[in-house]
Amino acid sequence: MEVEIIKAKGAGEDTSTGRKIDRLRVAAYCRVSTDDEDQIKSYNSMVRYYTDLIKSNKQWVFAGVFADKAITGTKTDKREEFQLLIQECLSGNIDLVIAKSIPRFARNTLDTLKYVRMLRERNIAVYFEVEKINTLKDGEFLLTILSSVAQQEVENTSAYVKKGLKMKMKRGELVGFQGCLGYDYDVVTKSLSINEEGAETVRYIFDRYVAGAGSTMIARELNEQGISTIKGNLWTSSSVMGIINNEKYKGDILLGKTFTVDPISKRRLENLGEEDRFYIKNHHEPIISEEKFARAQEIRERRNGGRKKGVAPGKREKFSRQYAFSCMLECGFCGASLSRRRWHSSSKYKKTIWQCVKSTKHGKRFCPDSKGIPEQVIEDAFIESYRMLCTDHKDVLEEFIKRVEKTLSEDSIEDKIEKLNKNAYNIQYKRKKLLESYLEGVVAKDIYEETDMGYEKKLSEVNAQLGMLEQQYDNESSLQRRLVDFRKALSKNQILEEFDRGIFESIIEKVIVGGYDENGEKDPYKIIFIYKTGFKNEIGNAKERFGKKSKAVEKAKEMCSHIADEVKDVCSYVSDNTCGDGSSFIPQKSRQLYPH
């Protein structure tokens, strides 16, 4: 028996096209996150460095330097140069991308892996200089760990900044002030003073509102008088009510009205009690008397019919988003969010779909590969994913949950915090004794100052460690709550007969719509469900797999008109599963006849 060895193709040959590569076409990517003078200098230096580096190598062809200035690394859709780099790679114009480090490439673990895999499928390498990782030669394990560290740095920094802002609010300092009609802000003294020109407009709005005029009428009167808003825009009903609802005009100030959900998505929500708020009375000189402000609020509440603004704390997940998929769907091609749209809303062929925001708002050319996906298809795909989770992967998830719980219980952060608190107490006690000895003349001044400085340094280090551990404790507490919710949701239903918004929101972190199949072909209907435990489930060509079922459901609904009157009445009240609070009632018998 004779074995013939067929030699592997050289590194200089593109196996995907069979094209022999004599010289690699190399591009570089660099980014700075702020427009500070030092960072701008660093930005210019990096552009020059990579230009010289690539052009000086005779084995390379210069394919450009793509550089984003004053742009965050947590979201790739905001970085125009990065998106242009990816498009050039996908068009086959680049063979190698050089980046200084993983955080310069992306500070989001999912984004890093997503684009690295996308380029690797086309035999395009990304080389990280600091970490010395070549994505075509090295495995993903180290890349995953280091990119996770980069993301964790962002989250830690965000936590420290948030803590600092809260301390400022607690001291009564103005935080996040964006300008206010009728007031001027002094940056040096950080105080508000009345601007009479704007204050006249504010007084006019309150006087007319208290006199009985509506917000629409007041807006029209201001526009007719040629008075504009603080941003120079025309007045609307909502901008007038923004003045009426603003407590600053009676001299008070409420800090912490909104909060950032997380540093990756940067999504901001109205603070309904999730974070501390700080109300400061008599903070500055009022424009409106407290009595007139209170009168305006009474009128507003009466006109609202007693409806309360917002929702009760703790109900955020269920009620703050109108639809189950709002802020949960991400385009797999460009990373933008998906928005809900109604096709043929005035005809019997009406359909609810979700489509890439970048494609719908800016034009198809900005995300040409995305397509609208029916809402029913996403719901049915989740039901299938959940079924697979409960049958094929339940043992894997149980093992994952057990490991996390074991890790959380092995090395208690509470014990570390208690130990550090004791250390801090001991240092403070030693400082007190040292001071007493100095005052009694037992210890010389130079020895006292040197020893006390050492104690102060140790105390500062202990306090810094305490701050980090407290943040970790909060993160672990959040993770434990998520594990409890996940386990509860997992044991509640083995198989879902229909889409359940509560289960979906309790276990799903994010859904990516669109992407590439295992052969590298574009699949706009590929759906990836990312669970809160880290488990990921892919369903390819979902529209083809679940579209027929959706059509069958629609056909069954059309048959309602041929059924008895009482059943027809029930069918006419069936609402969208993902709309509102999901509290619409459908009798069990009707559910069996007409699957929703």
Side-chain angles (χ1 to χ4, degrees), residues 167-190:
M167 291 173 70
K168 284 187 176 182
M169 292 180 193
K170 200 171 183 179
R171 292 196 299 265
E173 294 182 25
L174 208 55
V175 173
F177 184 69
Q178 300 294 324
C180 182
L181 182 67
Y183 284 108
D184 291 327
Y185 178 63
D186 191 321
V187 181
V188 178
T189 61
K190 298 182 179 179

Side-chain angles (χ1 to χ4, degrees), residues 410-572:
E410 276 179 352
D411 195 7
S412 173
I413 290 181
E414 291 183 60
D415 293 340
K416 290 183 179 179
I417 291 175
E418 186 179 353
K419 186 176 180 181
L420 284 173
N421 279 324
K422 287 181 179 178
N423 287 346
Y425 175 79
N426 290 334
I427 293 170
Q428 289 170 342
Y429 179 77
K430 289 178 181 179
R431 288 187 75 184
K432 181 182 176 183
K433 285 293 184 183
L434 179 67
L435 179 61
E436 290 175 357
S437 299
Y438 169 66
L439 294 175
E440 291 172 0
V442 178
V443 177
K445 182 179 179 181
D446 56 340
I447 296 176
Y448 164 74
E449 289 178 348
E450 184 180 351
T451 308
D452 187 66
M453 190 179 296
Y455 284 147
E456 187 177 3
K457 184 179 179 181
K458 286 181 181 179
L459 187 61
S460 177
E461 291 173 354
V462 168
N463 287 332
Q465 291 177 33
L466 271 172
M468 293 181 64
L469 285 175
E470 285 170 359
Q471 180 62 36
Q472 289 180 27
Y473 181 75
D474 292 339
N475 292 340
E476 288 198 0
S477 298
S478 174
L479 180 58
Q480 286 173 334
R481 287 194 298 272
R482 286 166 66 177
L483 288 173
V484 170
D485 292 341
F486 190 86
R487 189 186 286 279
K488 191 185 298 180
L490 195 62
S491 61
K492 183 179 177 183
N493 284 312
Q494 291 301 316
I495 297 177
L496 285 177
E497 298 295 336
E498 59 183 19
F499 180 78
D500 188 307
R501 176 172 180 171
I503 291 179
F504 173 81
E505 291 183 337
S506 67
I507 64 177
I508 294 295
E509 183 77 36
K510 181 167 52 171
V511 181
I512 299 174
V513 178
Y516 298 86
D517 61 20
E518 54 188 15
N519 298 320
E521 299 292 329
K522 296 171 185 174
D523 182 1
Y525 302 112
K526 177 182 180 180
I527 301 178
I528 303 175
F529 292 99
I530 300 175
Y531 288 78
K532 290 183 178 180
T533 55
F535 179 75
K536 187 164 65 173
N537 187 23
E538 299 182 7
I539 295 180
N541 203 6
K543 187 176 181 182
E544 179 68 25
R545 292 179 60 182
F546 302 106
K548 295 178 181 178
K549 179 181 176 182
S550 300
K551 291 177 182 177
V553 171
E554 293 298 323
K555 189 173 181 181
K557 287 182 179 179
E558 291 177 7
M559 293 174 61
C560 288
S561 58
H562 305 294
I563 312 299
D565 289 340
E566 59 272 16
V567 178
K568 183 165 64 177
D569 290 339
V570 169
C571 293
S572 65

Side-chain angles (χ1 to χ4, degrees), residues 297-310:
Q297 304 315 304
E298 289 175 8
I299 295 171
R300 179 182 61 81
E301 289 176 8
R302 187 172 68 248
R303 288 177 178 176
N304 284 343
R307 294 193 301 270
K308 293 182 179 179
K309 183 186 177 186

Side-chain angles (χ1 to χ4, degrees), residues 180-184 193-206 222 227-230 235 243 249 287-288:
C180 182
L181 182 67
Y183 284 108
D184 291 327
S193 58
I194 293 178
N195 178 314
E196 276 304 325
E197 184 180 353
E200 283 300 316
T201 304
V202 172
R203 293 188 189 103
Y204 177 83
I205 291 172
F206 273 92
L222 291 170
I227 300 172
S228 59
T229 66
I230 191 172
W235 286 92
I243 299 291
Y249 295 115
I287 294 176
I288 303 299

Side-chain angles (χ1 to χ4, degrees), residues 156-168:
N156 289 342
T157 303
S158 175
Y160 297 145
V161 170
K162 185 182 285 188
K163 196 169 185 178
L165 291 176
K166 283 186 177 180
M167 291 173 70
K168 284 187 176 182

